[in-house]
Amino acid sequence: MSVFSHPEYRDHQHVAFHYDRSSGLKAIIAIHNTQLGPALGGCRMWPYASDEEALRDVLRLSRGMTYKSAIANLKLGGGKAVIIGDPRSGKTDALLHAMGDFIESLGGRYITAEDSGTKVADIAKIAERTAHISGLVQGSEHGGDPSPTTAYGVFVGLQAAVEHRFGKSDLSGLKVAVQGVGNVGFRLAQHLRDAGAELYVTDIFAQNVDRAVTELGATAVSEEGLWDLDVDVFAPCALGAVINDTTIERLRAPIVAGAANNQLASEAHGDMLRQKEILYAPDYVINAGGIMDAYYQRHGGSAEQLKAHVETIEQTLLEIFQRSERDQLPTSVVADRMAEERFRLR
Ligand code: NAD
């Protein structure tokens, strides 16, 4: 298994591998960049088929965190941790303690948080061995769940996209298709409903759809039917890689603005969206409310300060949209460049 020549190894500062014989912990922490501050990123637990797969994931995700925090103007760098194991059967107190010791050994350069396969209770267990954690409410004004903040940020960002594309800030009558009405998607739909938008929703869980129909007056659509809808905005709030060769052909909405991480199946799809004149709000810019929430939970600050920070997503997106037009580049590329200007030059 190569590290330095790995295709996802792109200027990472530190990659640490750890094996703890007594608990069986096998974990990797990747610190991509700490130019702006300590590297914050979740701790994922997953039954990776190989060490190689785990390495790929941690390298890719840690780099993504550097870009997300930089564009969100936070004094944070990018990092991520992965535990190789089954989150349903592999968790023991000893394993989580060993993970805490591993994080502690990095002296605060990496700060952990919840992610796929880890819950608040697991972070609490890790916290028995290290203070370098985020996502536990410690006398903070903000709750432990960042979803409401993420949803508000996506709403603000969606408004910016509408303003840029249609030249209006009024959302009444705007048709929005929301894919996935879970923690973030449902709350986004609430904001949109309050602003007078017409909602079309889909979810693989029927009860989530029912709730949106009953409580928000949304129209239910099938998973497949979503792609053919004649709507103004497509808001992906479920899973990654939803913009791919197949869906891009069918997509009729002139705006893509939603919460899901890694929406583009590949970098090329950013360019394909631009060529189809579909305005794309880059995922890690529009969904940064969650990391902002984590930052304020850890560093303090009032709910008003957090809200004001989240509202900066509007200006950031408007700048990205303008630069994209000026330089004839996909918004995804412009976002990356803007983030790099912040973490490379300081
Ligand atoms: P969630 O699990 O609460 O909601 C996701 C919803 O999507 C669920 O209701 C699920 O049933 C549905 N879903 C799954 N597959 C689907 C499919 N094929 N078609 C339609 N619906 C489908 O998760 P969440 O916390 O709301 O996060 C949603 C997305 O936003 C994820 O990609 C997540 O990584 C991203 N995100 C979340 C936060 C946050 O604060 N929670 C922050 C940043 C990014």
Side-chain angles (χ1 to χ4, degrees):
M1 183 173 65
S2 63
V3 179
F4 291 118
S5 57
H6 196 288
E8 295 292 344
Y9 183 87
R10 298 201 228 166
D11 299 329
H12 285 73
Q13 289 176 348
H14 190 166
V15 184
F17 296 79
H18 186 64
Y19 172 54
D20 177 64
R21 184 184 292 274
S22 61
S23 66
L25 174 74
K26 272 189 189 165
I28 313 174
I29 294 176
I31 294 175
H32 176 253
N33 191 289
T34 52
Q35 185 78 18
L36 297 177
L40 180 97
C43 174
R44 184 167 281 198
M45 183 164 184
W46 195 251
Y48 292 102
S50 63
D51 299 351
E52 165 69 28
E53 204 183 278
L55 178 66
R56 183 180 177 279
D57 217 21
V58 79
L59 290 176
R60 194 175 56 85
L61 294 167
S62 56
R63 182 169 176 270
M65 291 307 297
T66 301
Y67 283 75
K68 183 181 279 204
S69 287
I71 204 88
N73 261 320
L74 295 170
K75 293 191 182 76
L76 290 173
K80 204 86 183 180
V82 295
I83 297 175
I84 301 169
D86 190 331
R88 287 163 304 178
S89 58
K91 270 181 217 161
T92 59
D93 287 0
L95 182 127
L96 294 168
H97 280 161
M99 189 64 201
D101 292 339
F102 181 25
I103 292 164
E104 182 65 19
S105 74
L106 297 175
R109 294 182 64 220
Y110 167 69
I111 300 165
T112 203
E114 273 177 83
D115 205 271
S116 310
T118 55
K119 299 188 169 68
V120 172
D122 305 323
I123 301 302
K125 213 25 97 182
I126 289 173
E128 289 173 5
R129 295 300 182 97
T130 181
H132 306 306
I133 49 115
S134 172
L136 289 182
V137 193
Q138 299 149 323
S140 154
E141 271 195 46
H142 323 292
D145 175 12
S147 304
T149 314
T150 304
Y152 181 61
V154 174
F155 173 68
V156 165
L158 191 151
Q159 268 182 312
V162 169
E163 192 182 320
H164 183 82
R165 185 67 205 244
F166 301 127
K168 61 168 194 175
S169 50
D170 178 13
L171 301 191
S172 58
L174 190 86
K175 293 184 175 139
V176 185
V178 184
Q179 183 188 41
V181 269
N183 287 324
V184 179
F186 184 81
R187 290 182 172 95
L188 169 66
Q190 277 177 318
H191 285 298
L192 291 166
R193 188 270 321 260
D194 294 347
E198 228 175 85
L199 298 169
Y200 297 84
V201 301
T202 184
D203 199 292
I204 50 169
F205 283 121
Q207 66 264 40
N208 287 1
V209 174
D210 292 346
R211 184 162 74 126
V213 170
T214 320
E215 294 183 25
L216 307 176
T219 302
V221 287
S222 69
E223 237 185 280
E224 274 301 298
L226 188 87
W227 298 106
D228 303 317
L229 285 178
D230 199 2
V231 289
D232 301 304
V233 182
F234 169 54
C237 298
L239 62 172
V242 283
I243 305 295
N244 54 48
D245 288 345
T246 314
T247 59
I248 221 163
E249 289 301 319
R250 293 174 68 183
L251 190 64
R252 295 171 68 185
I255 294 174
V256 175
N261 278 313
N262 304 317
Q263 291 170 28
L264 305 179
S266 77
E267 285 174 20
H269 292 100
D271 199 33
M272 287 162 78
L273 284 175
R274 194 179 77 84
Q275 281 169 22
K276 276 196 75 178
E277 296 187 355
I278 295 173
L279 183 66
Y280 170 60
D283 45 16
Y284 69 84
V285 183
I286 195 168
N287 73 16
I291 186 94
M292 292 175 184
D293 191 291
Y295 182 84
Y296 279 77
Q297 275 185 48
R298 196 176 151 79
H299 295 273
S302 67
E304 287 71 33
Q305 285 170 318
L306 171 60
K307 185 166 183 277
H309 200 137
V310 172
E311 287 169 353
T312 62
I313 289 174
E314 179 189 1
Q315 270 317 311
T316 306
L317 279 174
L318 288 175
E319 188 178 344
I320 289 169
F321 297 151
Q322 282 153 12
R323 278 173 65 161
S324 161
E325 278 178 4
R326 188 194 68 195
D327 302 340
Q328 297 291 294
L329 286 169
T331 53
S332 47
V333 171
V334 173
D336 285 357
R337 289 191 181 174
M338 274 172 60
E340 284 163 6
E341 284 162 15
R342 294 176 187 186
F343 71 81
R344 292 235 166 99
L345 296 181
R346 282 187 205 181

